[in-house]
Amino acid sequence: MPTPSASEKNLAILYFASLAEQAGKDEETIRFDGDNLTELYQTLSAHYGFKLAQTKLAVAINHHIANWQTPLQDGDIVAFIPPVAGG
């Protein structure tokens, strides 16, 4: 069994609205070797075929809105939040 990289992180990912539909799930736990939210979204987008551009999303780490360049830490909860139409 390969030894996990020291930079790998366990992350809980939360998906909402169209992202949840495209991923086929509302949440998942993954191991990720990247450093920031941009890398994470690019990886997940390639995997699930997300149609929304990163610039259209809000992102949160541990229930707080974050900057896309915020470094990820092991155990973080990451939420990708698409725009919500209201009326």
Side-chain angles (χ1 to χ4, degrees):
M1 173 183 278
T3 304
S5 163
S7 62
E8 277 191 339
K9 299 153 195 70
N10 285 311
L11 302 173
I13 311 297
L14 307 177
Y15 303 107
F16 297 95
S18 62
L19 296 180
E21 291 173 16
Q22 291 169 24
K25 58 186 92 179
D26 294 332
E27 62 185 78
E28 68 181 322
T29 301
I30 65 166
R31 290 199 56 78
F32 181 66
D33 197 24
D35 294 318
N36 62 53
L37 294 163
T38 296
E39 293 174 28
L40 176 61
Y41 186 70
Q42 289 171 346
T43 299
L44 294 169
S45 187
H47 181 74
Y48 291 116
F50 292 151
K51 295 176 177 67
L52 278 174
Q54 174 184 323
T55 56
K56 301 288 186 192
L57 300 171
V59 63
I61 295 179
N62 301 324
H63 311 290
H64 298 283
I65 296 297
N67 177 293
W68 282 97
Q69 295 306 312
T70 301
L72 291 164
Q73 304 296 318
D74 187 53
D76 278 346
I77 300 168
V78 179
F80 294 109
I81 309 161
V84 178

